[in-house]
Amino acid sequence: MASRPQSKPSPDQHKPRQLQRRLGVLDSTVIGLGSMLGAGVFVVFAPAAALAGPLLAVAVAVAGVVAYCNAVASAQLAARYPSSGGTYVYGRNRLGEWPGFIAGWGFVTGKTASCAAMALTFGHYVAPEFATPLAVAAVVVLTGVNLLGITRTALVTRILLAVVLATLAFVVAAAVLGPHAAPDGAATAAASAWGVLPAAGLMFFAFAGYARIATLGEEVKDPTRTIPRAILAALAAAFVIYLGLALLLQWHLPAGQLAGSTAPLLDAVASSRLDAGAPFVQAGAAAACLGALLALITGVGRTAMAMARERDLPSPLARVGGAHTVPYLAELTVAAAVIVLLLSTNVLTVVGFSSFGVLVYYSVTNAAAFTLSARPWHAPRWLNALGFLGCLVLAVTLPPASVLGMAAVLAVGVAGRFLVLRLRKAAA
């Protein structure tokens, strides 16, 4: 009996599964804005006001200018290289493997810590006595949402963003109605112009969510058109909201109270005629944390997947599978790392650490964009140079502990990659 000839596998069977392009301009903008209006909007004004004093709005403007430079550079590069991984991919293609690795490593490590900080902030707003268990539960549930596919992520982010925007509108109404505090001359005089740059560094941490749009480049429809529009739209909306809130909070609250607050938006409502709505603000803060955490887990997982594709992280992290074609191993690994941080560390101290990593990431973005020859009229090279210098200045003016901590993590990553490359070369 003749044996049946075996069919040869098609070449496509040997290719890794690719992510699907399912996001339009609206969903991409929502994911970016949902990231920028995360936990930061409910806490960042207090430490920034403590540093900048009456110049808080100037700090917001400085952060906005640097963020705009970075957004333009990100939009240029994401349209040119519409694949997951963001600046890790851009750095490798435009500058070389090492700059790309430094950007990717800084993003993955810094944003993993940010995930833990936002999860714990959620727990403290909902039930402080059970903060850690609630934070772990949030990570588990939102990782499950991500594993259901990117369109589910966009839908949940849209719902959470609507809750956050309604909460911020309520805070604005409370601040406008007053009563308003008398100027606190002693507190405002204590701050100086030297505090503007570190305050801008903290505010930049809140702006940085548009990177999530670029890291999802492989899942965006018509990326050349969609990504630039979504990045600039999300940034413009966030800038207007942050600047308006900064001005309102300084008008409504005494300077000393704003600078020392752990929940400035909650204090703004509690000190107004709408103080009965304080629980609504707490619920909105919880929703903000969940929205930012959802987008962060998504972005970190896809950057880890891109690094694994190039063997800068363990190659199994590049696997894409399941009915919804998601990088499931990368997502689960990020979730596990966040849970370890929640159970072992007080991660509320790592905001500056994460800010330093993000600023390093965007310095590589601007350097990569500077090398592009074809560029739109609104993206001249000097804008990339300004963004690069702005990122470095804000990074080095952060608190020394944050700078040294993230520098050490970057050094460990560089040393590890150097050792792996040497071992591979010796084994070849």
Side-chain angles (χ1 to χ4, degrees):
M1 183 176 178
S3 60
R4 180 180 298 177
Q6 294 182 349
S7 60
K8 294 183 179 180
S10 71
D12 290 341
Q13 287 180 273
H14 297 294
K15 294 180 180 179
R17 295 187 67 183
Q18 300 296 307
L19 302 177
Q20 303 298 310
R21 298 193 182 279
R22 292 169 174 163
L23 299 178
V25 174
L26 179 59
D27 282 338
S28 301
T29 303
V30 165
I31 288 176
L33 187 58
S35 301
M36 284 185 273
L37 296 181
V41 73
F42 290 90
V43 296
V44 75
F45 291 107
L51 291 167
L55 300 178
L56 176 61
V58 178
V60 175
V62 171
V65 169
V66 176
Y68 174 76
C69 295
N70 299 341
V72 170
S74 296
Q76 288 177 267
L77 291 161
R80 178 75 177 270
Y81 302 102
S83 60
S84 292
T87 297
Y88 170 71
V89 174
Y90 315 149
R92 284 182 64 92
N93 280 279
R94 306 302 307 184
L95 304 173
E97 293 184 2
W98 278 107
F101 173 80
I102 290 171
W105 182 247
F107 182 87
V108 168
T109 55
K111 289 302 184 179
T112 297
S114 292
C115 288
M118 291 188 180
L120 196 56
T121 302
F122 163 77
H124 279 300
Y125 265 94
V126 174
E129 63 276 19
F130 302 109
T132 299
L134 282 172
V136 172
V139 172
V140 171
V141 171
L142 293 183
T143 300
V145 170
N146 277 334
L147 293 177
L148 291 176
I150 192 63
T151 53
R152 277 74 172 180
T153 299
L155 175 61
V156 173
T157 303
R158 187 182 298 186
I159 294 170
L160 293 175
L161 178 60
V163 173
V164 172
L165 291 175
T167 304
L168 296 181
F170 183 78
V171 172
V172 168
V176 169
L177 288 174
H180 309 297
D184 188 347
T188 57
S192 73
W194 292 107
V196 169
L197 289 179
L202 293 178
M203 291 302 308
F204 180 80
F205 169 78
F207 276 116
Y210 53 80
R212 237 67 70 232
I213 302 172
T215 61
L216 299 175
E218 201 170 313
E219 294 159 276
V220 172
K221 302 173 186 174
D222 190 9
T224 303
R225 171 182 173 274
T226 298
I227 293 175
R229 292 187 179 189
I231 287 177
L232 295 176
L235 177 61
F239 179 75
V240 170
I241 291 170
Y242 275 111
L243 185 61
L245 284 172
L247 294 171
L248 275 174
L249 289 172
Q250 286 194 300
W251 179 49
H252 178 55
L253 291 175
Q257 182 183 0
L258 176 58
S261 176
T262 57
L265 300 193
L266 186 60
D267 286 351
V269 172
S271 303
S272 75
R273 295 184 178 90
L274 300 180
D275 57 328
F280 177 60
V281 178
Q282 290 177 293
C289 294
L290 291 177
L293 180 59
L294 179 65
L296 271 174
I297 293 173
T298 305
V300 176
R302 274 132 180 97
T303 301
M305 177 192 72
M307 295 183 73
R309 284 174 173 173
E310 302 293 343
R311 299 178 69 196
D312 279 336
L313 288 179
S315 56
L317 297 180
R319 291 178 185 169
V320 173
H324 305 287
T325 58
V326 294
Y328 61 97
L329 278 181
E331 296 274 5
L332 292 172
T333 301
V334 170
V338 173
I339 290 172
V340 169
L341 285 173
L342 287 171
L343 297 177
S344 61
T345 312
N346 178 6
V347 294
L348 291 179
T349 61
V350 300
V351 171
F353 169 93
S354 180
S355 294
F356 187 87
V358 172
L359 287 164
V360 169
Y361 176 87
Y362 280 115
S363 67
V364 177
T365 305
N366 282 285
F370 188 84
T371 67
L372 293 172
S373 54
R375 53 182 59 243
W377 64 268
H378 62 273
R381 274 197 172 87
W382 66 261
L383 199 66
N384 302 144
L386 178 63
F388 178 80
L389 293 175
C391 286
L392 294 183
V393 169
L394 293 186
V396 299
T397 56
L398 286 166
S402 300
V403 175
L404 294 174
M406 190 61 197
V409 170
L410 289 173
V412 168
V414 168
R417 184 175 190 268
F418 179 79
L419 179 60
V420 169
L421 291 178
R422 290 292 297 270
L423 293 173
R424 286 176 185 167
K425 186 176 180 180

